[in-house]
Amino acid sequence: MLNIGCHLSSSKGYLAMGKTALQIGANTFQFFTRNPRGGKAKAVDLQDIEALVELLQTNNFAPLVAHAPYTLNPCAADEHLRDFAREVFQEDLQVLEYIPGMLYNFHPGSHVKQGAEVGIIKIAETLNQVLYKEQQTMVLLETMAGKGSEVGRSFEELAAIIDKVQLNEKLGICLDTCHIFDGGYDIVNNLDEVILQFDKIIGLERLKAVHLNDSLNVLGSHKDRHACIGKGNIGLDALVRVINHPALKHLPFNLETPNELPGYAAEIKLLRENYKE
């Protein structure tokens, strides 16, 4: 079965997201742990979480992905911003432990004139402060497009972060199709080669989720502008090859395309029709 969903709003609670996912034909989904622009998380409603867990188990959902806010920057030059990143990490990981099999995705951050090497060191330092042996939630570094001073623009940068983290068995990767295409990885013409490169540098065992997006930009543009499935420069045929690739097809795929719920439902239906069991 194709494990596919989209990004859902968490404003109405956990169970509401699960019910919405079922309504649009999804069997996984992604949500922000708090306002994507930062701020405090809502108080934990354990009954709501328990109701979601029951729904997930009853309907055989694939693992869910929680997304950290965009303002989380563990490699910021400003120490207060790094403190905020650490606090958000710790709070989110505590809550996500209530949901079995959770994946927690974050953008590695922007080094802002410090240089990628310094950024990599600071990201690893933050992860070494927040990861703990007992946690069940897997933390995912997202592949980035490389705009501005983003860290994580290459498989090598992501591998360098992982190598510096003590409890790196708690770390995985979320591969974003728009980001890696914009970052220069040709998944349209050389998908097999890109996957082999990922395996050689990071290891396929660390690939835990995929953001399935088309791109408004050309290969190697480093701009990061998502498009609806089949409406960009990656194209439907290439994205169908992604969901059917033997190394990827078992993973949870989440759409981050510029859609409302009807658009997501249509894309989920389209991709299910093109999936080969």
PDB file of all heavy atoms in Angstrom, residues 161-195:
ATOM      1  N   ILE A 161      26.759  16.207   9.977  1.00  0.00           N
ATOM      2  CA  ILE A 161      26.019  16.446  11.218  1.00  0.00           C
ATOM      3  C   ILE A 161      25.835  15.131  11.974  1.00  0.00           C
ATOM      4  O   ILE A 161      26.139  15.035  13.177  1.00  0.00           O
ATOM      5  CB  ILE A 161      24.641  17.077  10.923  1.00  0.00           C
ATOM      6  CG1 ILE A 161      24.803  18.453  10.292  1.00  0.00           C
ATOM      7  CG2 ILE A 161      23.815  17.175  12.218  1.00  0.00           C
ATOM      8  CD1 ILE A 161      23.512  19.019   9.706  1.00  0.00           C
ATOM      9  N   ILE A 162      25.351  14.124  11.271  1.00  0.00           N
ATOM     10  CA  ILE A 162      25.093  12.817  11.890  1.00  0.00           C
ATOM     11  C   ILE A 162      26.354  12.254  12.546  1.00  0.00           C
ATOM     12  O   ILE A 162      26.302  11.722  13.664  1.00  0.00           O
ATOM     13  CB  ILE A 162      24.525  11.837  10.844  1.00  0.00           C
ATOM     14  CG1 ILE A 162      23.136  12.294  10.393  1.00  0.00           C
ATOM     15  CG2 ILE A 162      24.460  10.415  11.398  1.00  0.00           C
ATOM     16  CD1 ILE A 162      22.601  11.560   9.180  1.00  0.00           C
ATOM     17  N   ASP A 163      27.463  12.388  11.862  1.00  0.00           N
ATOM     18  CA  ASP A 163      28.731  11.836  12.377  1.00  0.00           C
ATOM     19  C   ASP A 163      29.164  12.473  13.684  1.00  0.00           C
ATOM     20  O   ASP A 163      29.920  11.860  14.450  1.00  0.00           O
ATOM     21  CB  ASP A 163      29.840  12.016  11.336  1.00  0.00           C
ATOM     22  CG  ASP A 163      29.688  11.089  10.145  1.00  0.00           C
ATOM     23  OD1 ASP A 163      28.902  10.122  10.245  1.00  0.00           O
ATOM     24  OD2 ASP A 163      30.341  11.334   9.110  1.00  0.00           O
ATOM     25  N   LYS A 164      28.686  13.698  13.959  1.00  0.00           N
ATOM     26  CA  LYS A 164      29.103  14.416  15.164  1.00  0.00           C
ATOM     27  C   LYS A 164      28.124  14.251  16.324  1.00  0.00           C
ATOM     28  O   LYS A 164      28.345  14.807  17.402  1.00  0.00           O
ATOM     29  CB  LYS A 164      29.288  15.911  14.847  1.00  0.00           C
ATOM     30  CG  LYS A 164      30.495  16.208  13.962  1.00  0.00           C
ATOM     31  CD  LYS A 164      30.596  17.689  13.633  1.00  0.00           C
ATOM     32  CE  LYS A 164      31.907  18.010  12.935  1.00  0.00           C
ATOM     33  NZ  LYS A 164      32.127  17.239  11.693  1.00  0.00           N
ATOM     34  N   VAL A 165      27.062  13.485  16.111  1.00  0.00           N
ATOM     35  CA  VAL A 165      26.046  13.294  17.153  1.00  0.00           C
ATOM     36  C   VAL A 165      26.260  11.960  17.848  1.00  0.00           C
ATOM     37  O   VAL A 165      26.385  10.921  17.205  1.00  0.00           O
ATOM     38  CB  VAL A 165      24.626  13.366  16.538  1.00  0.00           C
ATOM     39  CG1 VAL A 165      23.567  13.047  17.595  1.00  0.00           C
ATOM     40  CG2 VAL A 165      24.380  14.742  15.934  1.00  0.00           C
ATOM     41  N   GLN A 166      26.319  11.991  19.159  1.00  0.00           N
ATOM     42  CA  GLN A 166      26.618  10.794  19.946  1.00  0.00           C
ATOM     43  C   GLN A 166      25.530   9.737  19.818  1.00  0.00           C
ATOM     44  O   GLN A 166      25.815   8.559  19.576  1.00  0.00           O
ATOM     45  CB  GLN A 166      26.813  11.188  21.418  1.00  0.00           C
ATOM     46  CG  GLN A 166      28.030  12.084  21.643  1.00  0.00           C
ATOM     47  CD  GLN A 166      28.010  12.764  22.996  1.00  0.00           C
ATOM     48  OE1 GLN A 166      27.110  12.545  23.807  1.00  0.00           O
ATOM     49  NE2 GLN A 166      29.014  13.602  23.250  1.00  0.00           N
ATOM     50  N   LEU A 167      24.277  10.135  19.992  1.00  0.00           N
ATOM     51  CA  LEU A 167      23.157   9.189  19.895  1.00  0.00           C
ATOM     52  C   LEU A 167      22.572   9.229  18.486  1.00  0.00           C
ATOM     53  O   LEU A 167      21.372   9.397  18.285  1.00  0.00           O
ATOM     54  CB  LEU A 167      22.079   9.529  20.928  1.00  0.00           C
ATOM     55  CG  LEU A 167      22.470   9.379  22.394  1.00  0.00           C
ATOM     56  CD1 LEU A 167      21.343   9.851  23.307  1.00  0.00           C
ATOM     57  CD2 LEU A 167      22.833   7.936  22.723  1.00  0.00           C
ATOM     58  N   ASN A 168      23.431   9.038  17.494  1.00  0.00           N
ATOM     59  CA  ASN A 168      22.937   9.213  16.122  1.00  0.00           C
ATOM     60  C   ASN A 168      22.046   8.076  15.639  1.00  0.00           C
ATOM     61  O   ASN A 168      21.491   8.154  14.543  1.00  0.00           O
ATOM     62  CB  ASN A 168      24.079   9.490  15.137  1.00  0.00           C
ATOM     63  CG  ASN A 168      25.041   8.336  14.985  1.00  0.00           C
ATOM     64  OD1 ASN A 168      24.694   7.171  15.210  1.00  0.00           O
ATOM     65  ND2 ASN A 168      26.269   8.652  14.610  1.00  0.00           N
ATOM     66  N   GLU A 169      21.849   7.059  16.469  1.00  0.00           N
ATOM     67  CA  GLU A 169      20.843   6.047  16.134  1.00  0.00           C
ATOM     68  C   GLU A 169      19.428   6.619  16.253  1.00  0.00           C
ATOM     69  O   GLU A 169      18.469   6.011  15.777  1.00  0.00           O
ATOM     70  CB  GLU A 169      20.985   4.820  17.035  1.00  0.00           C
ATOM     71  CG  GLU A 169      20.632   5.018  18.493  1.00  0.00           C
ATOM     72  CD  GLU A 169      21.799   5.516  19.339  1.00  0.00           C
ATOM     73  OE1 GLU A 169      22.803   5.973  18.751  1.00  0.00           O
ATOM     74  OE2 GLU A 169      21.698   5.439  20.581  1.00  0.00           O
ATOM     75  N   LYS A 170      19.317   7.793  16.871  1.00  0.00           N
ATOM     76  CA  LYS A 170      18.023   8.476  16.986  1.00  0.00           C
ATOM     77  C   LYS A 170      17.755   9.393  15.797  1.00  0.00           C
ATOM     78  O   LYS A 170      16.735  10.079  15.763  1.00  0.00           O
ATOM     79  CB  LYS A 170      17.974   9.308  18.278  1.00  0.00           C
ATOM     80  CG  LYS A 170      18.331   8.564  19.550  1.00  0.00           C
ATOM     81  CD  LYS A 170      17.314   7.500  19.896  1.00  0.00           C
ATOM     82  CE  LYS A 170      17.640   6.833  21.230  1.00  0.00           C
ATOM     83  NZ  LYS A 170      16.685   5.750  21.551  1.00  0.00           N
ATOM     84  N   LEU A 171      18.673   9.439  14.836  1.00  0.00           N
ATOM     85  CA  LEU A 171      18.578  10.366  13.714  1.00  0.00           C
ATOM     86  C   LEU A 171      18.266   9.655  12.404  1.00  0.00           C
ATOM     87  O   LEU A 171      18.772   8.567  12.132  1.00  0.00           O
ATOM     88  CB  LEU A 171      19.885  11.140  13.535  1.00  0.00           C
ATOM     89  CG  LEU A 171      20.285  12.106  14.642  1.00  0.00           C
ATOM     90  CD1 LEU A 171      21.618  12.750  14.292  1.00  0.00           C
ATOM     91  CD2 LEU A 171      19.223  13.172  14.851  1.00  0.00           C
ATOM     92  N   GLY A 172      17.442  10.299  11.598  1.00  0.00           N
ATOM     93  CA  GLY A 172      17.162   9.840  10.245  1.00  0.00           C
ATOM     94  C   GLY A 172      17.092  11.024   9.315  1.00  0.00           C
ATOM     95  O   GLY A 172      17.413  12.157   9.684  1.00  0.00           O
ATOM     96  N   ILE A 173      16.646  10.780   8.080  1.00  0.00           N
ATOM     97  CA  ILE A 173      16.551  11.814   7.060  1.00  0.00           C
ATOM     98  C   ILE A 173      15.140  11.841   6.485  1.00  0.00           C
ATOM     99  O   ILE A 173      14.531  10.799   6.253  1.00  0.00           O
ATOM    100  CB  ILE A 173      17.551  11.554   5.908  1.00  0.00           C
ATOM    101  CG1 ILE A 173      18.995  11.556   6.416  1.00  0.00           C
ATOM    102  CG2 ILE A 173      17.367  12.575   4.781  1.00  0.00           C
ATOM    103  CD1 ILE A 173      19.512  12.903   6.895  1.00  0.00           C
ATOM    104  N   CYS A 174      14.632  13.051   6.243  1.00  0.00           N
ATOM    105  CA  CYS A 174      13.426  13.249   5.439  1.00  0.00           C
ATOM    106  C   CYS A 174      13.877  13.858   4.120  1.00  0.00           C
ATOM    107  O   CYS A 174      14.451  14.955   4.102  1.00  0.00           O
ATOM    108  CB  CYS A 174      12.440  14.173   6.149  1.00  0.00           C
ATOM    109  SG  CYS A 174      10.949  14.521   5.156  1.00  0.00           S
ATOM    110  N   LEU A 175      13.631  13.145   3.038  1.00  0.00           N
ATOM    111  CA  LEU A 175      14.049  13.600   1.714  1.00  0.00           C
ATOM    112  C   LEU A 175      12.915  14.392   1.078  1.00  0.00           C
ATOM    113  O   LEU A 175      11.803  13.887   0.931  1.00  0.00           O
ATOM    114  CB  LEU A 175      14.432  12.398   0.852  1.00  0.00           C
ATOM    115  CG  LEU A 175      15.028  12.658  -0.528  1.00  0.00           C
ATOM    116  CD1 LEU A 175      16.002  11.548  -0.907  1.00  0.00           C
ATOM    117  CD2 LEU A 175      13.930  12.774  -1.593  1.00  0.00           C
ATOM    118  N   ASP A 176      13.193  15.633   0.718  1.00  0.00           N
ATOM    119  CA  ASP A 176      12.213  16.491   0.065  1.00  0.00           C
ATOM    120  C   ASP A 176      12.534  16.546  -1.424  1.00  0.00           C
ATOM    121  O   ASP A 176      13.615  16.981  -1.811  1.00  0.00           O
ATOM    122  CB  ASP A 176      12.250  17.894   0.681  1.00  0.00           C
ATOM    123  CG  ASP A 176      11.149  18.797   0.160  1.00  0.00           C
ATOM    124  OD1 ASP A 176      11.116  19.047  -1.063  1.00  0.00           O
ATOM    125  OD2 ASP A 176      10.325  19.268   0.968  1.00  0.00           O
ATOM    126  N   THR A 177      11.594  16.095  -2.265  1.00  0.00           N
ATOM    127  CA  THR A 177      11.878  16.000  -3.695  1.00  0.00           C
ATOM    128  C   THR A 177      12.121  17.366  -4.340  1.00  0.00           C
ATOM    129  O   THR A 177      13.009  17.510  -5.195  1.00  0.00           O
ATOM    130  CB  THR A 177      10.750  15.266  -4.444  1.00  0.00           C
ATOM    131  OG1 THR A 177       9.492  15.891  -4.154  1.00  0.00           O
ATOM    132  CG2 THR A 177      10.703  13.804  -4.038  1.00  0.00           C
ATOM    133  N   CYS A 178      11.363  18.380  -3.947  1.00  0.00           N
ATOM    134  CA  CYS A 178      11.596  19.726  -4.470  1.00  0.00           C
ATOM    135  C   CYS A 178      12.972  20.227  -4.037  1.00  0.00           C
ATOM    136  O   CYS A 178      13.733  20.765  -4.846  1.00  0.00           O
ATOM    137  CB  CYS A 178      10.503  20.685  -3.992  1.00  0.00           C
ATOM    138  SG  CYS A 178      10.812  22.425  -4.371  1.00  0.00           S
ATOM    139  N   HIS A 179      13.286  20.049  -2.768  1.00  0.00           N
ATOM    140  CA  HIS A 179      14.551  20.559  -2.242  1.00  0.00           C
ATOM    141  C   HIS A 179      15.760  19.921  -2.913  1.00  0.00           C
ATOM    142  O   HIS A 179      16.697  20.625  -3.293  1.00  0.00           O
ATOM    143  CB  HIS A 179      14.631  20.316  -0.730  1.00  0.00           C
ATOM    144  CG  HIS A 179      13.673  21.138   0.068  1.00  0.00           C
ATOM    145  ND1 HIS A 179      13.556  21.022   1.436  1.00  0.00           N
ATOM    146  CD2 HIS A 179      12.773  22.085  -0.317  1.00  0.00           C
ATOM    147  CE1 HIS A 179      12.633  21.860   1.868  1.00  0.00           C
ATOM    148  NE2 HIS A 179      12.135  22.514   0.824  1.00  0.00           N
ATOM    149  N   ILE A 180      15.755  18.596  -3.050  1.00  0.00           N
ATOM    150  CA  ILE A 180      16.958  17.989  -3.627  1.00  0.00           C
ATOM    151  C   ILE A 180      17.070  18.290  -5.119  1.00  0.00           C
ATOM    152  O   ILE A 180      18.179  18.442  -5.640  1.00  0.00           O
ATOM    153  CB  ILE A 180      17.070  16.471  -3.355  1.00  0.00           C
ATOM    154  CG1 ILE A 180      15.929  15.682  -4.001  1.00  0.00           C
ATOM    155  CG2 ILE A 180      17.142  16.195  -1.860  1.00  0.00           C
ATOM    156  CD1 ILE A 180      16.159  14.181  -3.945  1.00  0.00           C
ATOM    157  N   PHE A 181      15.936  18.420  -5.811  1.00  0.00           N
ATOM    158  CA  PHE A 181      15.967  18.805  -7.225  1.00  0.00           C
ATOM    159  C   PHE A 181      16.517  20.224  -7.355  1.00  0.00           C
ATOM    160  O   PHE A 181      17.424  20.480  -8.153  1.00  0.00           O
ATOM    161  CB  PHE A 181      14.558  18.710  -7.813  1.00  0.00           C
ATOM    162  CG  PHE A 181      14.471  19.050  -9.277  1.00  0.00           C
ATOM    163  CD1 PHE A 181      14.891  18.141 -10.246  1.00  0.00           C
ATOM    164  CD2 PHE A 181      13.958  20.279  -9.689  1.00  0.00           C
ATOM    165  CE1 PHE A 181      14.804  18.457 -11.602  1.00  0.00           C
ATOM    166  CE2 PHE A 181      13.863  20.602 -11.041  1.00  0.00           C
ATOM    167  CZ  PHE A 181      14.293  19.685 -12.002  1.00  0.00           C
ATOM    168  N   ASP A 182      15.993  21.144  -6.545  1.00  0.00           N
ATOM    169  CA  ASP A 182      16.505  22.512  -6.557  1.00  0.00           C
ATOM    170  C   ASP A 182      17.960  22.557  -6.085  1.00  0.00           C
ATOM    171  O   ASP A 182      18.710  23.461  -6.450  1.00  0.00           O
ATOM    172  CB  ASP A 182      15.646  23.403  -5.657  1.00  0.00           C
ATOM    173  CG  ASP A 182      14.304  23.763  -6.286  1.00  0.00           C
ATOM    174  OD1 ASP A 182      13.918  23.091  -7.265  1.00  0.00           O
ATOM    175  OD2 ASP A 182      13.635  24.691  -5.808  1.00  0.00           O
ATOM    176  N   GLY A 183      18.345  21.583  -5.274  1.00  0.00           N
ATOM    177  CA  GLY A 183      19.712  21.512  -4.785  1.00  0.00           C
ATOM    178  C   GLY A 183      20.694  20.903  -5.766  1.00  0.00           C
ATOM    179  O   GLY A 183      21.899  20.873  -5.493  1.00  0.00           O
ATOM    180  N   GLY A 184      20.197  20.399  -6.890  1.00  0.00           N
ATOM    181  CA  GLY A 184      21.087  19.897  -7.928  1.00  0.00           C
ATOM    182  C   GLY A 184      21.115  18.399  -8.121  1.00  0.00           C
ATOM    183  O   GLY A 184      21.890  17.889  -8.934  1.00  0.00           O
ATOM    184  N   TYR A 185      20.247  17.669  -7.402  1.00  0.00           N
ATOM    185  CA  TYR A 185      20.184  16.216  -7.556  1.00  0.00           C
ATOM    186  C   TYR A 185      19.112  15.884  -8.603  1.00  0.00           C
ATOM    187  O   TYR A 185      17.926  16.134  -8.378  1.00  0.00           O
ATOM    188  CB  TYR A 185      19.861  15.547  -6.226  1.00  0.00           C
ATOM    189  CG  TYR A 185      20.963  15.682  -5.194  1.00  0.00           C
ATOM    190  CD1 TYR A 185      20.945  16.700  -4.248  1.00  0.00           C
ATOM    191  CD2 TYR A 185      22.036  14.782  -5.182  1.00  0.00           C
ATOM    192  CE1 TYR A 185      21.956  16.821  -3.299  1.00  0.00           C
ATOM    193  CE2 TYR A 185      23.052  14.891  -4.242  1.00  0.00           C
ATOM    194  CZ  TYR A 185      23.011  15.918  -3.304  1.00  0.00           C
ATOM    195  OH  TYR A 185      24.015  16.038  -2.380  1.00  0.00           O
ATOM    196  N   ASP A 186      19.528  15.308  -9.718  1.00  0.00           N
ATOM    197  CA  ASP A 186      18.626  15.108 -10.856  1.00  0.00           C
ATOM    198  C   ASP A 186      17.793  13.838 -10.686  1.00  0.00           C
ATOM    199  O   ASP A 186      18.116  12.774 -11.215  1.00  0.00           O
ATOM    200  CB  ASP A 186      19.417  15.046 -12.159  1.00  0.00           C
ATOM    201  CG  ASP A 186      18.510  15.098 -13.382  1.00  0.00           C
ATOM    202  OD1 ASP A 186      17.280  15.102 -13.206  1.00  0.00           O
ATOM    203  OD2 ASP A 186      19.037  15.136 -14.504  1.00  0.00           O
ATOM    204  N   ILE A 187      16.688  13.981  -9.948  1.00  0.00           N
ATOM    205  CA  ILE A 187      15.801  12.833  -9.729  1.00  0.00           C
ATOM    206  C   ILE A 187      14.880  12.593 -10.917  1.00  0.00           C
ATOM    207  O   ILE A 187      14.159  11.601 -10.935  1.00  0.00           O
ATOM    208  CB  ILE A 187      14.971  12.993  -8.440  1.00  0.00           C
ATOM    209  CG1 ILE A 187      14.119  14.270  -8.488  1.00  0.00           C
ATOM    210  CG2 ILE A 187      15.873  12.985  -7.209  1.00  0.00           C
ATOM    211  CD1 ILE A 187      13.130  14.393  -7.340  1.00  0.00           C
ATOM    212  N   VAL A 188      14.916  13.475 -11.902  1.00  0.00           N
ATOM    213  CA  VAL A 188      14.117  13.278 -13.110  1.00  0.00           C
ATOM    214  C   VAL A 188      14.800  12.286 -14.046  1.00  0.00           C
ATOM    215  O   VAL A 188      14.185  11.323 -14.517  1.00  0.00           O
ATOM    216  CB  VAL A 188      13.872  14.624 -13.833  1.00  0.00           C
ATOM    217  CG1 VAL A 188      13.139  14.384 -15.163  1.00  0.00           C
ATOM    218  CG2 VAL A 188      13.076  15.574 -12.955  1.00  0.00           C
ATOM    219  N   ASN A 189      16.084  12.489 -14.309  1.00  0.00           N
ATOM    220  CA  ASN A 189      16.813  11.659 -15.261  1.00  0.00           C
ATOM    221  C   ASN A 189      17.724  10.619 -14.625  1.00  0.00           C
ATOM    222  O   ASN A 189      18.104   9.649 -15.286  1.00  0.00           O
ATOM    223  CB  ASN A 189      17.654  12.557 -16.176  1.00  0.00           C
ATOM    224  CG  ASN A 189      16.802  13.529 -16.963  1.00  0.00           C
ATOM    225  OD1 ASN A 189      15.941  13.133 -17.736  1.00  0.00           O
ATOM    226  ND2 ASN A 189      17.025  14.829 -16.740  1.00  0.00           N
ATOM    227  N   ASN A 190      18.068  10.820 -13.330  1.00  0.00           N
ATOM    228  CA  ASN A 190      19.050   9.939 -12.701  1.00  0.00           C
ATOM    229  C   ASN A 190      18.646   9.543 -11.287  1.00  0.00           C
ATOM    230  O   ASN A 190      19.459   9.602 -10.363  1.00  0.00           O
ATOM    231  CB  ASN A 190      20.429  10.626 -12.658  1.00  0.00           C
ATOM    232  CG  ASN A 190      20.969  10.934 -14.038  1.00  0.00           C
ATOM    233  OD1 ASN A 190      21.086  10.044 -14.885  1.00  0.00           O
ATOM    234  ND2 ASN A 190      21.301  12.190 -14.275  1.00  0.00           N
ATOM    235  N   LEU A 191      17.389   9.125 -11.108  1.00  0.00           N
ATOM    236  CA  LEU A 191      16.906   8.780  -9.773  1.00  0.00           C
ATOM    237  C   LEU A 191      17.743   7.666  -9.141  1.00  0.00           C
ATOM    238  O   LEU A 191      18.130   7.757  -7.969  1.00  0.00           O
ATOM    239  CB  LEU A 191      15.437   8.368  -9.830  1.00  0.00           C
ATOM    240  CG  LEU A 191      14.808   7.924  -8.504  1.00  0.00           C
ATOM    241  CD1 LEU A 191      14.851   9.047  -7.471  1.00  0.00           C
ATOM    242  CD2 LEU A 191      13.361   7.459  -8.726  1.00  0.00           C
ATOM    243  N   ASP A 192      18.030   6.618  -9.887  1.00  0.00           N
ATOM    244  CA  ASP A 192      18.821   5.514  -9.346  1.00  0.00           C
ATOM    245  C   ASP A 192      20.184   5.994  -8.858  1.00  0.00           C
ATOM    246  O   ASP A 192      20.649   5.587  -7.781  1.00  0.00           O
ATOM    247  CB  ASP A 192      19.025   4.422 -10.403  1.00  0.00           C
ATOM    248  CG  ASP A 192      17.775   3.595 -10.641  1.00  0.00           C
ATOM    249  OD1 ASP A 192      16.874   3.613  -9.780  1.00  0.00           O
ATOM    250  OD2 ASP A 192      17.695   2.929 -11.683  1.00  0.00           O
ATOM    251  N   GLU A 193      20.802   6.860  -9.625  1.00  0.00           N
ATOM    252  CA  GLU A 193      22.128   7.372  -9.261  1.00  0.00           C
ATOM    253  C   GLU A 193      22.063   8.217  -7.992  1.00  0.00           C
ATOM    254  O   GLU A 193      22.933   8.127  -7.121  1.00  0.00           O
ATOM    255  CB  GLU A 193      22.692   8.212 -10.410  1.00  0.00           C
ATOM    256  CG  GLU A 193      24.104   8.735 -10.163  1.00  0.00           C
ATOM    257  CD  GLU A 193      24.619   9.546 -11.342  1.00  0.00           C
ATOM    258  OE1 GLU A 193      24.296   9.204 -12.500  1.00  0.00           O
ATOM    259  OE2 GLU A 193      25.348  10.530 -11.092  1.00  0.00           O
ATOM    260  N   VAL A 194      21.009   9.036  -7.873  1.00  0.00           N
ATOM    261  CA  VAL A 194      20.845   9.861  -6.675  1.00  0.00           C
ATOM    262  C   VAL A 194      20.655   8.979  -5.449  1.00  0.00           C
ATOM    263  O   VAL A 194      21.256   9.224  -4.384  1.00  0.00           O
ATOM    264  CB  VAL A 194      19.648  10.825  -6.843  1.00  0.00           C
ATOM    265  CG1 VAL A 194      19.350  11.542  -5.523  1.00  0.00           C
ATOM    266  CG2 VAL A 194      19.930  11.837  -7.939  1.00  0.00           C
ATOM    267  N   ILE A 195      19.856   7.932  -5.581  1.00  0.00           N
ATOM    268  CA  ILE A 195      19.633   7.029  -4.455  1.00  0.00           C
ATOM    269  C   ILE A 195      20.907   6.283  -4.081  1.00  0.00           C
ATOM    270  O   ILE A 195      21.215   6.116  -2.886  1.00  0.00           O
ATOM    271  CB  ILE A 195      18.484   6.051  -4.792  1.00  0.00           C
ATOM    272  CG1 ILE A 195      17.161   6.827  -4.865  1.00  0.00           C
ATOM    273  CG2 ILE A 195      18.384   4.940  -3.747  1.00  0.00           C
ATOM    274  CD1 ILE A 195      15.992   6.016  -5.349  1.00  0.00           C
TER     275      ILE A 195
END
